[in-house]
Amino acid sequence: MIPGFGPTLGITLGYLGLVVLIPLAALVWRSTELGAAAFWDLARDPRTLAALRTSFGAALIAAGVNAVFGALVAWVLVRYRFAGRRLLDAVVDLPFALPTAVAGIALAALYGPQGWLGKPLAALGIQVAYAPAGIVVALVFVGLPFVVRTLQPVIAEIDREWEEAAASLGARRAQTVRRVIAPSLLPAWATGFALALARGVGEYGSVIFIAGNLPHVSEIAPLLIVIKLEEFNYPAATAVGVMMLSISFALLLVINLLQAWNRRRLTDAR
């Protein structure tokens, strides 16, 4: 019904190919210079495996934390009116605007051995800065807005009459949350989780200042790529990038399949 479908589709595909597909194809192509045997040796290298495990493990933990507390923050911002709500709502976007290096320095100063939070935690035997826990803290900081901003419009669209109807039928509050609210939020919640996970996997600037960057302990995969680049080993750097790309694609594919299954389940239930 709307004219111009052909030209707009061509521009869209051309732009997508130029910005996304061609760079990714170049990444995969450059990694082939390493050779299959060398690629497999690099993939099995203990340092590479440790870096990938650190990056994806910390990103999964941080995304899980944000999925829980981000949902609570979004619910409070939408459902309640209180003094300072607009300021709190604006603060949620701070990680978007704040340079990641600045965030990393601030977190390192806060959770360092002499920091406001790091010193009392160290007295309890808990080390955050220069340890894997510091990576999780940094990723929670940068990933929170993705969950909150994804859930906010969905929470705002939930009709409160559904909750009132459930209460009038004798449902307890926990049953209303589980059977009325949670199914409506689940697709958006999964999307926010996936966005926070994707951001955490590729995060670099805010992590290197607080992680400690010790091989096999707190070294992340993006840092390993930078190290390979500084050694002018471009095929190895692109090979590590291909590994990260493959794992990230597999995780996002699983999440999207779960979302599609949940939508079909909700449609069948209705």
Side-chain angles (χ1 to χ4, degrees):
M1 298 299 295
I2 301 177
F5 173 75
T8 54
L9 178 62
I11 294 173
T12 300
L13 294 178
Y15 185 78
L16 180 64
L18 182 64
V19 174
V20 179
L21 299 180
I22 293 178
L24 292 181
L27 176 71
V28 176
W29 177 261
R30 188 63 186 274
S31 67
T32 59
E33 298 178 5
L34 196 62
F39 184 93
W40 182 243
D41 290 338
L42 180 62
R44 294 186 301 172
D45 182 67
R47 185 176 182 181
T48 304
L49 293 175
L52 292 173
R53 183 167 55 250
T54 299
S55 289
F56 284 93
L60 282 169
I61 295 173
V65 172
N66 281 328
V68 176
F69 293 98
L72 294 177
V73 172
W75 183 269
V76 170
L77 291 176
V78 173
R79 287 298 183 96
Y80 299 100
R81 297 293 180 268
F82 53 91
R85 185 180 66 87
R86 292 183 180 275
L87 178 61
L88 181 61
D89 192 45
V91 169
V92 171
D93 290 328
L94 187 60
F96 284 145
L98 192 67
T100 56
V102 176
I105 294 173
L107 292 173
L110 183 63
Y111 288 96
Q114 300 301 321
W116 290 350
L117 295 179
K119 191 171 183 179
L121 289 175
L124 297 174
I126 301 174
Q127 182 181 359
V128 177
Y130 317 123
I135 302 175
V136 176
V137 170
L139 298 186
V140 168
F141 176 82
V142 300
L144 178 64
F146 291 93
V147 178
V148 176
R149 295 309 184 209
T150 303
L151 285 174
Q152 270 185 303
V154 180
I155 295 174
E157 292 177 358
I158 295 178
D159 194 343
R160 297 196 182 190
E161 293 181 357
W162 297 354
E163 302 171 45
E164 295 172 359
S168 65
L169 293 174
R172 294 187 298 272
R173 189 59 181 169
Q175 291 177 316
T176 303
V177 171
R178 187 175 67 254
R179 298 187 179 182
V180 177
I181 298 175
S184 302
L185 294 181
L186 188 57
W189 180 86
T191 300
F193 176 85
L195 291 174
L197 173 63
R199 173 63 188 273
V201 167
E203 181 61 24
Y204 176 77
S206 63
V207 173
I208 58 173
F209 292 99
I210 195 174
N213 308 317
L214 296 177
H216 305 282
V217 178
S218 58
E219 183 181 57
I220 59 175
L223 177 60
L224 183 60
I225 293 175
V226 173
I227 292 174
K228 298 293 184 184
L229 290 175
E230 290 177 346
E231 296 172 351
F232 300 101
N233 192 351
Y234 300 113
T238 55
V240 177
V242 169
M243 297 175 200
M244 294 188 66
L245 177 64
S246 302
I247 299 173
S248 299
F249 179 79
L251 288 174
L252 294 177
L253 178 61
V254 170
I255 293 173
N256 287 330
L257 291 175
L258 290 174
Q259 285 182 281
W261 171 80
N262 182 68
R263 283 194 295 267
R264 288 196 302 268
R265 183 177 62 84
L266 291 177
T267 302
D268 295 340
R270 291 173 183 173

